[in-house]
Amino acid sequence: MTLLTVHQDNHPTPQPAPTPPPNPAPTTPMPRLTTTVPREYVHRSSLAEVFLTGSEKTGDNHYTLTAQWPRTHTFYTTPDNTHHDPLQAAETIRQTGLYLAHAELGVPLDHHFLMWNIHLTTHPQHLTIGPTPTDLTLTATCTTLRYKGKRLADFTMHITITRGGHTTATGGGQFTCLTPTTYQRLRQPHTTQPTPQTQPTTPTTPTNPTDPTPYGRHLPLDLVLTPTPQPHTWQLTPNPHHPILFDHTTDHIPGMVLLEAARQATHTHTHPTPTHLTTLHATFHRYTEHHTPTYITTTHTPTATTADTDTRAAADTRTDTETDTRTGTETGTDTTTPTGTHTTHITATQNNTTVFTAHITTTPH
């Protein structure tokens, strides 16, 4: 008998090696794209409220930055929607100081800042809104840097904002940097989760929605002042849920709210004549608390003739920056005051104590 034996091959037949792909074509480097700086560096919660887009160090404490203002902003806009709001330049100055402190001067992100003062001069002819967002170049210089050990404690910043080679605004401010421990000791017993008091009834918008109120704002949400029986005196009553003025939780009234209050009070003196804010000098003397009534008072000086003014403010001589009492410096400029210019002096008080002062100059639109 013949047996048929079947052999099973358990070893697969080797496959030919794959042909290597051809050498890939060289890739073109990706262009540097425009984006905002990290929102944490400018102490903003919303990315939409970050105006800075880049920074480059050009020398010892000298920096060139870029920024962009949108064509239409939900809050920073003029009543006729033809110009950028001058306070948008003030917010850009604030963001620049914080950004440079964190990104260039080594201040940790968990540190706090005191902004002692801010000064601003704008050129309305270069604040017009064009067919595209406004791209800006910022030239900033940090001076009088003071350290405690290796930690930056205090500095002053000067800035020029240009647009297409034209100066749009100049200004600056003085900043103090505080560690979290120092800040908590300074602010006790104030809570970091404020529950602002019930707001008094605020003025409503006029019947015609295209006409701003005497405060220069269209929407009730944007009004921060409520009239009192005393002439030229208002109670500070901002809406604590305002998405711009209260972008993030703070244990005190933000400085930008006080600047807005000063601007709105100034508008009441020139309404209904359209005006531009051309100069601002403001000093933050103390923290403005949430739960204590704050009153805004103004005095107003119209200027009927052209005159040269020279504003000078003395430098602060304090030696201890970690104190509750706040004073500062204001940097002035030589300006020519045109006919129709108005100057308003604004004071904010809590418990009969001055917490904020400002001087605002406006010129006809």
Side-chain angles (χ1 to χ4, degrees):
M1 177 182 293
T2 302
L3 296 178
L4 180 61
T5 304
V6 178
H7 299 279
Q8 183 176 5
D9 188 359
N10 293 323
H11 302 283
T13 302
Q15 298 295 320
T19 303
N23 293 331
T27 58
T28 302
M30 291 293 291
R32 183 178 178 181
L33 303 180
T34 301
T35 184
T36 65
V37 303
R39 62 184 182 179
E40 292 84 0
Y41 283 11
V42 297
H43 296 198
R44 280 297 182 189
S45 295
S46 172
L47 289 172
E49 300 310 315
V50 180
F51 299 142
L52 302 183
T53 57
S55 174
E56 179 183 1
K57 186 173 182 178
T58 56
D60 288 343
N61 302 321
H62 294 274
Y63 307 91
T64 297
L65 304 95
T66 54
Q68 187 182 84
W69 291 342
R71 293 176 60 193
T72 302
H73 192 273
T74 58
F75 180 72
Y76 289 120
T77 183
T78 54
D80 59 5
N81 294 314
T82 62
H83 287 70
H84 293 290
D85 187 340
L87 286 193
Q88 194 166 17
E91 169 63 14
T92 303
I93 292 173
R94 186 197 74 88
Q95 290 190 16
T96 302
L98 300 183
Y99 175 81
L100 292 179
H102 287 310
E104 300 288 352
L105 301 177
V107 177
L109 286 174
D110 63 349
H111 279 41
H112 297 263
F113 290 86
L114 309 180
M115 190 171 186
W116 296 92
N117 58 72
I118 186 171
H119 60 93
L120 171 69
T121 300
T122 66
H123 302 274
Q125 68 272 27
H126 299 307
L127 287 173
T128 54
I129 296 175
T132 61
T134 299
D135 291 315
L136 304 166
T137 299
L138 287 56
T139 303
T141 302
C142 297
T143 63
T144 61
L145 280 74
R146 189 171 59 85
Y147 290 83
K148 285 192 172 181
K150 295 183 179 181
R151 179 179 65 85
L152 179 65
D154 197 89
F155 70 98
T156 300
M157 183 195 67
H158 306 279
I159 188 171
T160 299
I161 303 174
T162 60
R163 171 189 185 183
H166 300 285
T167 300
T168 301
T170 57
Q174 184 180 6
F175 301 81
T176 291
C177 317
L178 298 177
T179 66
T181 300
T182 300
Y183 185 80
Q184 290 300 321
R185 183 174 69 248
L186 182 65
R187 293 298 294 146
Q188 288 181 353
H190 301 287
T191 175
T192 57
Q193 296 292 333
T195 53
Q197 59 186 355
T198 302
Q199 305 299 312
T201 302
T202 56
T204 58
T205 53
T207 303
N208 183 357
T210 64
D211 294 333
T213 67
Y215 305 97
R217 289 297 184 187
H218 292 276
L219 303 177
L221 175 69
D222 294 338
L223 302 181
V224 300
L225 299 177
T226 296
T228 69
Q230 289 75 30
H232 305 303
T233 302
W234 298 264
Q235 185 174 352
L236 182 65
T237 55
N239 188 316
H241 305 294
H242 194 285
I244 310 302
L245 294 176
F246 291 90
D247 170 76
H248 56 281
T249 300
T250 63
D251 62 0
H252 58 276
I253 299 293
M256 291 303 298
V257 174
L258 294 171
L259 295 182
E260 178 61 26
R263 188 260 293 280
Q264 290 189 20
T266 298
H267 265 287
T268 66
H269 291 284
T270 58
H271 180 78
T273 302
T275 59
H276 284 296
L277 185 157
T278 52
T279 65
L280 163 69
H281 294 265
T283 301
F284 305 93
H285 301 281
R286 301 176 68 90
Y287 287 102
T288 305
E289 309 297 349
H290 283 289
H291 304 287
T292 305
T294 304
Y295 294 97
I296 306 293
T297 59
T298 62
T299 57
H300 181 66
T301 306
T303 303
T305 59
T306 300
D308 291 334
T309 62
D310 185 14
T311 305
R312 291 290 185 268
D316 178 28
T317 58
R318 72 188 187 286
T319 57
D320 181 9
T321 63
E322 298 171 353
T323 175
D324 193 35
T325 301
R326 310 182 64 183
T327 58
T329 61
E330 294 180 3
T331 301
T333 56
D334 294 328
T335 61
T336 299
T337 305
T339 301
T341 294
H342 296 261
T343 300
T344 305
H345 306 275
I346 303 99
T347 302
T349 59
Q350 282 191 330
N351 293 326
N352 297 317
T353 300
T354 299
V355 295
F356 167 79
T357 54
H359 310 281
I360 290 178
T361 300
T362 58
T363 56
H365 184 28

